mmCIF file of all heavy atoms in Angstrom:
data_model
loop_
_atom_site.group_PDB
_atom_site.id
_atom_site.type_symbol
_atom_site.label_atom_id
_atom_site.label_comp_id
_atom_site.label_asym_id
_atom_site.label_seq_id
_atom_site.Cartn_x
_atom_site.Cartn_y
_atom_site.Cartn_z
ATOM 1 N N MET P 346 0.047 -14.990 -2.417
ATOM 2 C CA MET P 346 0.869 -14.088 -3.295
ATOM 3 C C MET P 346 1.498 -14.900 -4.399
ATOM 4 O O MET P 346 1.982 -15.941 -4.226
ATOM 5 C CB MET P 346 1.909 -13.452 -2.451
ATOM 6 C CG MET P 346 1.371 -12.573 -1.301
ATOM 7 S SD MET P 346 0.363 -11.168 -1.735
ATOM 8 C CE MET P 346 1.515 -10.073 -2.495
ATOM 9 N N THR P 347 1.475 -14.302 -5.536
ATOM 10 C CA THR P 347 2.134 -14.936 -6.653
ATOM 11 C C THR P 347 3.613 -14.597 -6.744
ATOM 12 O O THR P 347 4.063 -13.680 -6.046
ATOM 13 C CB THR P 347 1.380 -14.499 -7.993
ATOM 14 O OG1 THR P 347 1.623 -13.134 -8.173
ATOM 15 C CG2 THR P 347 -0.162 -14.742 -8.032
ATOM 16 N N ASN P 348 4.274 -15.193 -7.689
ATOM 17 C CA ASN P 348 5.648 -14.823 -7.896
ATOM 18 C C ASN P 348 5.836 -13.436 -8.435
ATOM 19 O O ASN P 348 6.936 -12.730 -8.228
ATOM 20 C CB ASN P 348 6.276 -15.753 -8.989
ATOM 21 C CG ASN P 348 6.441 -17.189 -8.471
ATOM 22 O OD1 ASN P 348 6.580 -17.473 -7.336
ATOM 23 N ND2 ASN P 348 6.499 -18.151 -9.332
ATOM 24 N N GLU P 349 4.772 -12.788 -8.940
ATOM 25 C CA GLU P 349 4.773 -11.357 -9.354
ATOM 26 C C GLU P 349 4.361 -10.474 -8.245
ATOM 27 O O GLU P 349 4.096 -9.243 -8.467
ATOM 28 C CB GLU P 349 3.872 -11.200 -10.578
ATOM 29 C CG GLU P 349 4.296 -11.922 -11.771
ATOM 30 C CD GLU P 349 3.974 -13.403 -11.794
ATOM 31 O OE1 GLU P 349 2.995 -13.840 -11.243
ATOM 32 O OE2 GLU P 349 4.755 -14.182 -12.449
ATOM 33 N N ASN P 350 4.307 -11.014 -6.989
ATOM 34 C CA ASN P 350 3.876 -10.304 -5.857
ATOM 35 C C ASN P 350 2.426 -9.620 -5.979
ATOM 36 O O ASN P 350 2.193 -8.525 -5.451
ATOM 37 C CB ASN P 350 4.897 -9.108 -5.609
ATOM 38 C CG ASN P 350 4.983 -8.821 -4.124
ATOM 39 O OD1 ASN P 350 4.746 -9.696 -3.300
ATOM 40 N ND2 ASN P 350 5.252 -7.622 -3.717
ATOM 41 N N LYS P 351 1.614 -10.494 -6.551
ATOM 42 C CA LYS P 351 0.097 -10.090 -6.588
ATOM 43 C C LYS P 351 -0.645 -11.030 -5.757
ATOM 44 O O LYS P 351 -0.253 -12.198 -5.563
ATOM 45 C CB LYS P 351 -0.378 -10.128 -8.090
ATOM 46 C CG LYS P 351 0.451 -9.252 -8.997
ATOM 47 C CD LYS P 351 -0.428 -8.440 -9.881
ATOM 48 C CE LYS P 351 0.505 -7.645 -10.747
ATOM 49 N NZ LYS P 351 -0.085 -6.353 -11.111
ATOM 50 N N VAL P 352 -1.835 -10.581 -5.384
ATOM 51 C CA VAL P 352 -2.739 -11.421 -4.552
ATOM 52 C C VAL P 352 -3.546 -12.300 -5.544
ATOM 53 O O VAL P 352 -4.155 -11.767 -6.481
ATOM 54 C CB VAL P 352 -3.747 -10.565 -3.699
ATOM 55 C CG1 VAL P 352 -4.743 -11.416 -3.027
ATOM 56 C CG2 VAL P 352 -2.957 -9.698 -2.714
ATOM 57 N N GLU P 353 -3.570 -13.634 -5.290
ATOM 58 C CA GLU P 353 -4.287 -14.487 -6.092
ATOM 59 C C GLU P 353 -5.281 -15.127 -5.119
ATOM 60 O O GLU P 353 -5.141 -15.569 -3.964
ATOM 61 C CB GLU P 353 -3.436 -15.659 -6.706
ATOM 62 C CG GLU P 353 -4.190 -16.639 -7.455
ATOM 63 C CD GLU P 353 -3.392 -17.728 -8.051
ATOM 64 O OE1 GLU P 353 -3.097 -18.745 -7.256
ATOM 65 O OE2 GLU P 353 -2.828 -17.571 -9.158
ATOM 66 N N ILE P 354 -6.605 -15.139 -5.592
ATOM 67 C CA ILE P 354 -7.687 -15.760 -4.861
ATOM 68 C C ILE P 354 -8.020 -17.102 -5.426
ATOM 69 O O ILE P 354 -8.153 -17.376 -6.578
ATOM 70 C CB ILE P 354 -8.949 -14.860 -5.047
ATOM 71 C CG1 ILE P 354 -8.609 -13.398 -4.698
ATOM 72 C CG2 ILE P 354 -10.160 -15.436 -4.271
ATOM 73 C CD1 ILE P 354 -8.271 -13.135 -3.186
ATOM 74 N N ARG P 355 -8.149 -18.053 -4.489
ATOM 75 C CA ARG P 355 -8.634 -19.486 -4.765
ATOM 76 C C ARG P 355 -9.811 -19.592 -3.827
ATOM 77 O O ARG P 355 -9.791 -19.651 -2.621
ATOM 78 C CB ARG P 355 -7.537 -20.421 -4.428
ATOM 79 C CG ARG P 355 -6.377 -20.292 -5.325
ATOM 80 C CD ARG P 355 -5.331 -21.363 -4.948
ATOM 81 N NE ARG P 355 -4.061 -21.081 -5.619
ATOM 82 C CZ ARG P 355 -3.021 -21.905 -5.525
ATOM 83 N NH1 ARG P 355 -3.088 -22.973 -4.802
ATOM 84 N NH2 ARG P 355 -1.916 -21.536 -6.138
ATOM 85 N N CYS P 356 -11.029 -19.871 -4.509
ATOM 86 C CA CYS P 356 -12.242 -20.036 -3.768
ATOM 87 C C CYS P 356 -13.130 -20.972 -4.510
ATOM 88 O O CYS P 356 -13.595 -20.561 -5.673
ATOM 89 C CB CYS P 356 -12.915 -18.698 -3.598
ATOM 90 S SG CYS P 356 -14.463 -18.694 -2.580
ATOM 91 N N GLY P 357 -13.415 -22.139 -4.066
ATOM 92 C CA GLY P 357 -14.124 -23.106 -4.760
ATOM 93 C C GLY P 357 -13.427 -23.452 -6.073
ATOM 94 O O GLY P 357 -12.254 -23.690 -6.098
ATOM 95 N N CYS P 358 -14.122 -23.253 -7.235
ATOM 96 C CA CYS P 358 -13.533 -23.557 -8.553
ATOM 97 C C CYS P 358 -12.914 -22.295 -9.132
ATOM 98 O O CYS P 358 -12.348 -22.361 -10.243
ATOM 99 C CB CYS P 358 -14.513 -24.162 -9.515
ATOM 100 S SG CYS P 358 -15.843 -23.062 -9.816
ATOM 101 N N PHE P 359 -12.979 -21.073 -8.423
ATOM 102 C CA PHE P 359 -12.417 -19.852 -8.885
ATOM 103 C C PHE P 359 -10.958 -19.868 -8.558
ATOM 104 O O PHE P 359 -10.523 -20.120 -7.465
ATOM 105 C CB PHE P 359 -13.157 -18.683 -8.328
ATOM 106 C CG PHE P 359 -12.506 -17.369 -8.739
ATOM 107 C CD1 PHE P 359 -12.965 -16.887 -9.976
ATOM 108 C CD2 PHE P 359 -11.539 -16.764 -8.025
ATOM 109 C CE1 PHE P 359 -12.278 -15.665 -10.436
ATOM 110 C CE2 PHE P 359 -10.970 -15.558 -8.409
ATOM 111 C CZ PHE P 359 -11.254 -14.992 -9.648
ATOM 112 N N ARG P 360 -10.103 -19.291 -9.442
ATOM 113 C CA ARG P 360 -8.737 -18.913 -9.245
ATOM 114 C C ARG P 360 -8.334 -17.798 -10.088
ATOM 115 O O ARG P 360 -8.616 -17.829 -11.327
ATOM 116 C CB ARG P 360 -7.835 -20.095 -9.609
ATOM 117 C CG ARG P 360 -6.375 -19.862 -9.320
ATOM 118 C CD ARG P 360 -5.527 -21.098 -9.666
ATOM 119 N NE ARG P 360 -4.170 -20.837 -9.423
ATOM 120 C CZ ARG P 360 -3.163 -21.644 -9.586
ATOM 121 N NH1 ARG P 360 -3.465 -22.913 -10.027
ATOM 122 N NH2 ARG P 360 -1.930 -21.287 -9.361
ATOM 123 N N GLY P 361 -7.925 -16.643 -9.535
ATOM 124 C CA GLY P 361 -7.642 -15.554 -10.324
ATOM 125 C C GLY P 361 -7.294 -14.353 -9.387
ATOM 126 O O GLY P 361 -7.081 -14.406 -8.238
ATOM 127 N N SER P 362 -7.164 -13.108 -9.978
ATOM 128 C CA SER P 362 -6.803 -11.851 -9.314
ATOM 129 C C SER P 362 -7.974 -11.460 -8.392
ATOM 130 O O SER P 362 -9.125 -11.805 -8.579
ATOM 131 C CB SER P 362 -6.411 -10.774 -10.286
ATOM 132 O OG SER P 362 -7.546 -10.386 -10.965
ATOM 133 N N ILE P 363 -7.647 -10.545 -7.572
ATOM 134 C CA ILE P 363 -8.619 -10.003 -6.604
ATOM 135 C C ILE P 363 -9.709 -9.171 -7.501
ATOM 136 O O ILE P 363 -10.826 -9.282 -7.165
ATOM 137 C CB ILE P 363 -8.043 -9.201 -5.427
ATOM 138 C CG1 ILE P 363 -9.151 -9.045 -4.405
ATOM 139 C CG2 ILE P 363 -7.482 -7.925 -6.008
ATOM 140 C CD1 ILE P 363 -8.554 -8.618 -3.090
ATOM 141 N N GLU P 364 -9.212 -8.545 -8.578
ATOM 142 C CA GLU P 364 -10.137 -7.765 -9.330
ATOM 143 C C GLU P 364 -11.089 -8.717 -10.146
ATOM 144 O O GLU P 364 -12.283 -8.446 -10.213
ATOM 145 C CB GLU P 364 -9.318 -6.901 -10.321
ATOM 146 C CG GLU P 364 -8.509 -5.893 -9.735
ATOM 147 C CD GLU P 364 -7.111 -6.296 -9.294
ATOM 148 O OE1 GLU P 364 -6.733 -7.508 -9.552
ATOM 149 O OE2 GLU P 364 -6.520 -5.556 -8.661
ATOM 150 N N GLU P 365 -10.536 -9.901 -10.647
ATOM 151 C CA GLU P 365 -11.406 -10.838 -11.293
ATOM 152 C C GLU P 365 -12.431 -11.451 -10.334
ATOM 153 O O GLU P 365 -13.620 -11.656 -10.695
ATOM 154 C CB GLU P 365 -10.555 -11.948 -11.886
ATOM 155 C CG GLU P 365 -9.680 -11.426 -13.096
ATOM 156 C CD GLU P 365 -8.601 -12.536 -13.417
ATOM 157 O OE1 GLU P 365 -8.118 -13.275 -12.557
ATOM 158 O OE2 GLU P 365 -8.279 -12.519 -14.661
ATOM 159 N N PHE P 366 -12.028 -11.702 -9.091
ATOM 160 C CA PHE P 366 -12.817 -12.247 -8.120
ATOM 161 C C PHE P 366 -14.047 -11.220 -7.751
ATOM 162 O O PHE P 366 -15.128 -11.687 -7.666
ATOM 163 C CB PHE P 366 -11.989 -12.552 -6.790
ATOM 164 C CG PHE P 366 -12.811 -13.268 -5.745
ATOM 165 C CD1 PHE P 366 -13.390 -14.459 -6.034
ATOM 166 C CD2 PHE P 366 -12.905 -12.765 -4.495
ATOM 167 C CE1 PHE P 366 -14.122 -15.264 -5.057
ATOM 168 C CE2 PHE P 366 -13.641 -13.365 -3.497
ATOM 169 C CZ PHE P 366 -14.233 -14.578 -3.755
ATOM 170 N N GLU P 367 -13.698 -9.954 -7.681
ATOM 171 C CA GLU P 367 -14.680 -9.012 -7.339
ATOM 172 C C GLU P 367 -15.770 -9.024 -8.500
ATOM 173 O O GLU P 367 -16.975 -9.004 -8.214
ATOM 174 C CB GLU P 367 -14.099 -7.590 -7.326
ATOM 175 C CG GLU P 367 -13.430 -7.275 -6.017
ATOM 176 C CD GLU P 367 -12.930 -5.860 -5.889
ATOM 177 O OE1 GLU P 367 -11.897 -5.537 -6.682
ATOM 178 O OE2 GLU P 367 -13.411 -5.057 -5.194
ATOM 179 N N ARG P 368 -15.289 -9.130 -9.728
ATOM 180 C CA ARG P 368 -16.311 -9.126 -10.815
ATOM 181 C C ARG P 368 -17.185 -10.347 -10.748
ATOM 182 O O ARG P 368 -18.365 -10.369 -11.028
ATOM 183 C CB ARG P 368 -15.573 -8.995 -12.117
ATOM 184 C CG ARG P 368 -15.092 -7.557 -12.419
ATOM 185 C CD ARG P 368 -14.496 -7.551 -13.847
ATOM 186 N NE ARG P 368 -13.390 -8.291 -14.248
ATOM 187 C CZ ARG P 368 -12.125 -8.028 -14.020
ATOM 188 N NH1 ARG P 368 -11.816 -6.816 -13.488
ATOM 189 N NH2 ARG P 368 -11.189 -8.800 -14.327
ATOM 190 N N LYS P 369 -16.508 -11.546 -10.490
ATOM 191 C CA LYS P 369 -17.145 -12.761 -10.414
ATOM 192 C C LYS P 369 -18.177 -12.865 -9.271
ATOM 193 O O LYS P 369 -19.306 -13.377 -9.514
ATOM 194 C CB LYS P 369 -16.206 -13.932 -10.302
ATOM 195 C CG LYS P 369 -16.731 -15.317 -10.400
ATOM 196 C CD LYS P 369 -17.226 -15.472 -11.921
ATOM 197 C CE LYS P 369 -17.680 -16.869 -12.229
ATOM 198 N NZ LYS P 369 -18.161 -17.041 -13.524
ATOM 199 N N VAL P 370 -17.867 -12.298 -8.134
ATOM 200 C CA VAL P 370 -18.747 -12.233 -6.937
ATOM 201 C C VAL P 370 -20.060 -11.316 -7.413
ATOM 202 O O VAL P 370 -21.101 -11.887 -7.282
ATOM 203 C CB VAL P 370 -18.065 -11.616 -5.840
ATOM 204 C CG1 VAL P 370 -19.121 -11.200 -4.712
ATOM 205 C CG2 VAL P 370 -17.104 -12.615 -5.188
ATOM 206 N N LYS P 371 -19.749 -10.288 -8.084
ATOM 207 C CA LYS P 371 -20.912 -9.354 -8.438
ATOM 208 C C LYS P 371 -21.814 -10.095 -9.496
ATOM 209 O O LYS P 371 -23.057 -10.049 -9.420
ATOM 210 C CB LYS P 371 -20.403 -8.149 -9.098
ATOM 211 C CG LYS P 371 -21.442 -7.070 -9.391
ATOM 212 C CD LYS P 371 -20.917 -5.779 -9.877
ATOM 213 C CE LYS P 371 -22.007 -4.794 -10.195
ATOM 214 N NZ LYS P 371 -21.494 -3.564 -10.632
ATOM 215 N N GLU P 372 -21.162 -10.770 -10.441
ATOM 216 C CA GLU P 372 -21.866 -11.557 -11.471
ATOM 217 C C GLU P 372 -22.671 -12.674 -10.887
ATOM 218 O O GLU P 372 -23.831 -12.929 -11.316
ATOM 219 C CB GLU P 372 -20.839 -12.078 -12.502
ATOM 220 C CG GLU P 372 -21.386 -12.909 -13.609
ATOM 221 C CD GLU P 372 -20.179 -13.469 -14.352
ATOM 222 O OE1 GLU P 372 -19.354 -12.763 -14.769
ATOM 223 O OE2 GLU P 372 -20.114 -14.774 -14.617
ATOM 224 N N THR P 373 -22.085 -13.403 -9.951
ATOM 225 C CA THR P 373 -22.733 -14.607 -9.422
ATOM 226 C C THR P 373 -23.652 -14.442 -8.310
ATOM 227 O O THR P 373 -24.647 -15.121 -8.197
ATOM 228 C CB THR P 373 -21.558 -15.631 -9.025
ATOM 229 O OG1 THR P 373 -20.668 -15.781 -10.089
ATOM 230 C CG2 THR P 373 -22.209 -16.972 -8.653
ATOM 231 N N HIS P 374 -23.308 -13.482 -7.452
ATOM 232 C CA HIS P 374 -24.027 -13.301 -6.172
ATOM 233 C C HIS P 374 -24.802 -11.995 -5.941
ATOM 234 O O HIS P 374 -25.115 -11.608 -4.853
ATOM 235 C CB HIS P 374 -23.186 -13.570 -5.016
ATOM 236 C CG HIS P 374 -22.517 -14.852 -5.024
ATOM 237 N ND1 HIS P 374 -23.188 -16.006 -4.764
ATOM 238 C CD2 HIS P 374 -21.211 -15.324 -5.257
ATOM 239 C CE1 HIS P 374 -22.408 -17.116 -4.865
ATOM 240 N NE2 HIS P 374 -21.166 -16.702 -5.122
ATOM 241 N N ALA P 375 -24.883 -11.163 -6.983
ATOM 242 C CA ALA P 375 -25.510 -9.849 -6.884
ATOM 243 C C ALA P 375 -26.808 -9.856 -6.118
ATOM 244 O O ALA P 375 -27.700 -10.712 -6.354
ATOM 245 C CB ALA P 375 -25.724 -9.259 -8.299
ATOM 246 N N GLY P 376 -26.957 -8.989 -5.158
ATOM 247 C CA GLY P 376 -28.089 -8.802 -4.356
ATOM 248 C C GLY P 376 -28.367 -9.865 -3.285
ATOM 249 O O GLY P 376 -29.423 -9.940 -2.730
ATOM 250 N N THR P 377 -27.342 -10.677 -2.978
ATOM 251 C CA THR P 377 -27.540 -11.677 -1.995
ATOM 252 C C THR P 377 -26.707 -11.376 -0.747
ATOM 253 O O THR P 377 -25.751 -10.558 -0.811
ATOM 254 C CB THR P 377 -27.265 -13.141 -2.483
ATOM 255 O OG1 THR P 377 -25.835 -13.162 -2.688
ATOM 256 C CG2 THR P 377 -27.993 -13.391 -3.777
ATOM 257 N N ILE P 378 -26.895 -12.137 0.322
ATOM 258 C CA ILE P 378 -26.170 -12.090 1.491
ATOM 259 C C ILE P 378 -24.679 -12.490 1.198
ATOM 260 O O ILE P 378 -23.696 -12.068 1.699
ATOM 261 C CB ILE P 378 -26.763 -12.900 2.680
ATOM 262 C CG1 ILE P 378 -25.961 -12.598 3.986
ATOM 263 C CG2 ILE P 378 -26.718 -14.382 2.375
ATOM 264 C CD1 ILE P 378 -26.121 -11.365 4.540
ATOM 265 N N TYR P 379 -24.582 -13.423 0.130
ATOM 266 C CA TYR P 379 -23.202 -13.921 -0.074
ATOM 267 C C TYR P 379 -22.322 -12.813 -0.740
ATOM 268 O O TYR P 379 -21.179 -12.732 -0.565
ATOM 269 C CB TYR P 379 -23.355 -15.155 -0.995
ATOM 270 C CG TYR P 379 -24.047 -16.241 -0.398
ATOM 271 C CD1 TYR P 379 -25.332 -16.614 -0.936
ATOM 272 C CD2 TYR P 379 -23.569 -16.944 0.621
ATOM 273 C CE1 TYR P 379 -26.053 -17.572 -0.308
ATOM 274 C CE2 TYR P 379 -24.307 -17.927 1.229
ATOM 275 C CZ TYR P 379 -25.589 -18.193 0.702
ATOM 276 O OH TYR P 379 -26.358 -19.269 1.256
ATOM 277 N N GLU P 380 -23.008 -11.977 -1.574
ATOM 278 C CA GLU P 380 -22.203 -10.798 -2.153
ATOM 279 C C GLU P 380 -21.733 -9.888 -1.055
ATOM 280 O O GLU P 380 -20.558 -9.520 -1.009
ATOM 281 C CB GLU P 380 -23.133 -9.984 -3.090
ATOM 282 C CG GLU P 380 -22.463 -8.782 -3.645
ATOM 283 C CD GLU P 380 -23.384 -7.868 -4.474
ATOM 284 O OE1 GLU P 380 -24.577 -7.822 -4.155
ATOM 285 O OE2 GLU P 380 -22.865 -7.189 -5.374
ATOM 286 N N LYS P 381 -22.542 -9.618 0.008
ATOM 287 C CA LYS P 381 -22.107 -8.852 1.073
ATOM 288 C C LYS P 381 -20.992 -9.473 1.865
ATOM 289 O O LYS P 381 -19.996 -8.838 2.252
ATOM 290 C CB LYS P 381 -23.309 -8.618 2.071
ATOM 291 C CG LYS P 381 -24.339 -7.718 1.491
ATOM 292 C CD LYS P 381 -25.411 -7.546 2.483
ATOM 293 C CE LYS P 381 -26.502 -6.637 1.888
ATOM 294 N NZ LYS P 381 -27.771 -6.531 2.757
ATOM 295 N N GLN P 382 -21.068 -10.848 2.080
ATOM 296 C CA GLN P 382 -19.955 -11.498 2.781
ATOM 297 C C GLN P 382 -18.690 -11.512 2.005
ATOM 298 O O GLN P 382 -17.653 -11.230 2.542
ATOM 299 C CB GLN P 382 -20.402 -12.960 3.063
ATOM 300 C CG GLN P 382 -21.488 -13.014 4.156
ATOM 301 C CD GLN P 382 -22.095 -14.400 4.207
ATOM 302 O OE1 GLN P 382 -21.920 -15.271 3.354
ATOM 303 N NE2 GLN P 382 -22.931 -14.623 5.275
ATOM 304 N N TYR P 383 -18.775 -11.767 0.745
ATOM 305 C CA TYR P 383 -17.505 -11.804 -0.097
ATOM 306 C C TYR P 383 -16.901 -10.402 -0.222
ATOM 307 O O TYR P 383 -15.771 -10.318 -0.161
ATOM 308 C CB TYR P 383 -17.883 -12.353 -1.533
ATOM 309 C CG TYR P 383 -17.918 -13.871 -1.629
ATOM 310 C CD1 TYR P 383 -19.056 -14.521 -2.175
ATOM 311 C CD2 TYR P 383 -16.861 -14.705 -1.200
ATOM 312 C CE1 TYR P 383 -19.025 -15.846 -2.238
ATOM 313 C CE2 TYR P 383 -16.934 -16.061 -1.342
ATOM 314 C CZ TYR P 383 -18.038 -16.606 -1.815
ATOM 315 O OH TYR P 383 -18.003 -18.061 -1.918
ATOM 316 N N LYS P 384 -17.739 -9.416 -0.363
ATOM 317 C CA LYS P 384 -17.220 -8.027 -0.395
ATOM 318 C C LYS P 384 -16.482 -7.687 0.886
ATOM 319 O O LYS P 384 -15.518 -7.000 0.898
ATOM 320 C CB LYS P 384 -18.354 -6.998 -0.670
ATOM 321 C CG LYS P 384 -18.864 -6.957 -2.054
ATOM 322 C CD LYS P 384 -19.891 -5.841 -2.299
ATOM 323 C CE LYS P 384 -20.237 -5.734 -3.733
ATOM 324 N NZ LYS P 384 -21.113 -4.677 -3.916
ATOM 325 N N ALA P 385 -16.982 -8.044 2.025
ATOM 326 C CA ALA P 385 -16.433 -7.867 3.292
ATOM 327 C C ALA P 385 -15.009 -8.572 3.286
ATOM 328 O O ALA P 385 -14.035 -7.934 3.786
ATOM 329 C CB ALA P 385 -17.222 -8.359 4.475
ATOM 330 N N ILE P 386 -14.973 -9.791 2.871
ATOM 331 C CA ILE P 386 -13.725 -10.555 2.789
ATOM 332 C C ILE P 386 -12.719 -9.879 1.885
ATOM 333 O O ILE P 386 -11.506 -9.670 2.136
ATOM 334 C CB ILE P 386 -13.967 -11.999 2.440
ATOM 335 C CG1 ILE P 386 -14.783 -12.737 3.473
ATOM 336 C CG2 ILE P 386 -12.760 -12.678 2.139
ATOM 337 C CD1 ILE P 386 -15.377 -14.026 3.156
ATOM 338 N N ILE P 387 -13.167 -9.333 0.654
ATOM 339 C CA ILE P 387 -12.344 -8.727 -0.281
ATOM 340 C C ILE P 387 -11.772 -7.462 0.320
ATOM 341 O O ILE P 387 -10.543 -7.189 0.172
ATOM 342 C CB ILE P 387 -13.118 -8.415 -1.573
ATOM 343 C CG1 ILE P 387 -13.452 -9.665 -2.411
ATOM 344 C CG2 ILE P 387 -12.418 -7.437 -2.421
ATOM 345 C CD1 ILE P 387 -14.589 -9.547 -3.405
ATOM 346 N N ASN P 388 -12.549 -6.721 1.000
ATOM 347 C CA ASN P 388 -12.087 -5.448 1.725
ATOM 348 C C ASN P 388 -10.967 -5.792 2.834
ATOM 349 O O ASN P 388 -10.070 -5.130 2.837
ATOM 350 C CB ASN P 388 -13.227 -4.698 2.335
ATOM 351 C CG ASN P 388 -14.082 -3.991 1.253
ATOM 352 O OD1 ASN P 388 -13.577 -3.603 0.187
ATOM 353 N ND2 ASN P 388 -15.293 -3.754 1.613
ATOM 354 N N LEU P 389 -11.219 -6.921 3.553
ATOM 355 C CA LEU P 389 -10.259 -7.280 4.473
ATOM 356 C C LEU P 389 -8.930 -7.682 3.860
ATOM 357 O O LEU P 389 -7.846 -7.289 4.268
ATOM 358 C CB LEU P 389 -10.747 -8.490 5.308
ATOM 359 C CG LEU P 389 -9.920 -8.916 6.404
ATOM 360 C CD1 LEU P 389 -9.607 -7.894 7.492
ATOM 361 C CD2 LEU P 389 -10.492 -10.207 7.063
ATOM 362 N N ILE P 390 -9.006 -8.432 2.734
ATOM 363 C CA ILE P 390 -7.795 -8.748 1.916
ATOM 364 C C ILE P 390 -7.075 -7.494 1.531
ATOM 365 O O ILE P 390 -5.793 -7.406 1.650
ATOM 366 C CB ILE P 390 -8.081 -9.716 0.840
ATOM 367 C CG1 ILE P 390 -8.611 -11.077 1.363
ATOM 368 C CG2 ILE P 390 -6.988 -9.848 -0.122
ATOM 369 C CD1 ILE P 390 -9.202 -11.925 0.293
ATOM 370 N N LYS P 391 -7.833 -6.578 1.001
ATOM 371 C CA LYS P 391 -7.242 -5.354 0.449
ATOM 372 C C LYS P 391 -6.446 -4.543 1.566
ATOM 373 O O LYS P 391 -5.383 -4.061 1.333
ATOM 374 C CB LYS P 391 -8.207 -4.354 -0.222
ATOM 375 C CG LYS P 391 -8.687 -4.903 -1.518
ATOM 376 C CD LYS P 391 -9.671 -4.079 -2.131
ATOM 377 C CE LYS P 391 -10.036 -4.478 -3.588
ATOM 378 N NZ LYS P 391 -10.946 -3.511 -4.266
ATOM 379 N N ILE P 392 -7.098 -4.509 2.816
ATOM 380 C CA ILE P 392 -6.450 -3.840 3.903
ATOM 381 C C ILE P 392 -5.186 -4.566 4.248
ATOM 382 O O ILE P 392 -4.122 -3.959 4.501
ATOM 383 C CB ILE P 392 -7.488 -3.791 5.084
ATOM 384 C CG1 ILE P 392 -8.620 -2.801 4.729
ATOM 385 C CG2 ILE P 392 -6.734 -3.369 6.396
ATOM 386 C CD1 ILE P 392 -9.740 -2.917 5.795
ATOM 387 N N LYS P 393 -5.314 -5.874 4.388
ATOM 388 C CA LYS P 393 -4.102 -6.784 4.853
ATOM 389 C C LYS P 393 -2.995 -6.557 3.914
ATOM 390 O O LYS P 393 -1.864 -6.470 4.339
ATOM 391 C CB LYS P 393 -4.557 -8.251 4.876
ATOM 392 C CG LYS P 393 -3.416 -9.241 4.921
ATOM 393 C CD LYS P 393 -2.824 -9.218 6.312
ATOM 394 C CE LYS P 393 -1.831 -10.320 6.448
ATOM 395 N NZ LYS P 393 -0.907 -10.119 7.509
ATOM 396 N N PHE P 394 -3.180 -6.469 2.542
ATOM 397 C CA PHE P 394 -2.097 -6.430 1.633
ATOM 398 C C PHE P 394 -1.912 -5.020 1.016
ATOM 399 O O PHE P 394 -1.058 -4.813 0.102
ATOM 400 C CB PHE P 394 -2.350 -7.465 0.480
ATOM 401 C CG PHE P 394 -2.213 -8.824 0.965
ATOM 402 C CD1 PHE P 394 -3.395 -9.584 1.237
ATOM 403 C CD2 PHE P 394 -0.972 -9.520 1.099
ATOM 404 C CE1 PHE P 394 -3.236 -10.916 1.727
ATOM 405 C CE2 PHE P 394 -0.927 -10.780 1.588
ATOM 406 C CZ PHE P 394 -2.011 -11.523 1.836
ATOM 407 N N GLY P 395 -2.545 -4.065 1.607
ATOM 408 C CA GLY P 395 -2.293 -2.659 1.228
ATOM 409 C C GLY P 395 -2.733 -2.302 -0.226
ATOM 410 O O GLY P 395 -2.068 -1.506 -0.877
ATOM 411 N N ILE P 396 -3.794 -2.896 -0.665
ATOM 412 C CA ILE P 396 -4.253 -2.763 -2.082
ATOM 413 C C ILE P 396 -5.269 -1.561 -2.019
ATOM 414 O O ILE P 396 -6.203 -1.558 -1.379
ATOM 415 C CB ILE P 396 -4.911 -4.081 -2.603
ATOM 416 C CG1 ILE P 396 -3.999 -5.165 -2.586
ATOM 417 C CG2 ILE P 396 -5.594 -3.833 -3.927
ATOM 418 C CD1 ILE P 396 -4.518 -6.541 -2.817
ATOM 419 N N ASP P 397 -5.067 -0.611 -2.953
ATOM 420 C CA ASP P 397 -5.972 0.475 -3.097
ATOM 421 C C ASP P 397 -7.233 0.063 -3.853
ATOM 422 O O ASP P 397 -7.206 -0.826 -4.740
ATOM 423 C CB ASP P 397 -5.433 1.662 -3.787
ATOM 424 C CG ASP P 397 -4.279 2.330 -2.935
ATOM 425 O OD1 ASP P 397 -4.397 2.282 -1.723
ATOM 426 O OD2 ASP P 397 -3.379 2.831 -3.609
ATOM 427 N N GLY P 398 -8.321 0.724 -3.555
ATOM 428 C CA GLY P 398 -9.639 0.476 -4.395
ATOM 429 C C GLY P 398 -10.721 -0.088 -3.611
ATOM 430 O O GLY P 398 -11.225 -0.995 -3.209
#
């Protein structure tokens, strides 16, 4: 969580918001098993922190 009470993702060389991470996953891993895995993790994070979408 950031000082602004937002979720920040750090994964490898990526650092940014969950929305930015979703876009990057789609851009980088579209159509692969990694996209499915990252999407599952993103959904879990959204549930944990009560993020809509």
Side-chain angles (χ1 to χ4, degrees):
M346 298 299 287
T347 66
N348 291 336
E349 294 81 29
N350 210 29
K351 302 231 181 207
V352 173
E353 178 180 86
I354 306 295
R355 294 181 191 180
C356 181
C358 63
F359 177 86
R360 182 177 177 181
S362 71
I363 195 161
E364 296 83 9
E365 292 169 328
F366 187 59
E367 283 183 288
R368 287 191 296 272
K369 191 66 172 176
V370 165
K371 186 175 182 180
E372 173 187 311
T373 306
H374 299 290
T377 69
I378 188 72
Y379 302 111
E380 178 186 28
K381 291 178 183 178
Q382 291 171 346
Y383 279 125
K384 282 184 174 184
I386 293 166
I387 289 165
N388 286 333
L389 182 63
I390 292 167
K391 286 181 174 184
I392 291 167
K393 167 72 175 159
F394 291 101
I396 299 169
D397 293 329

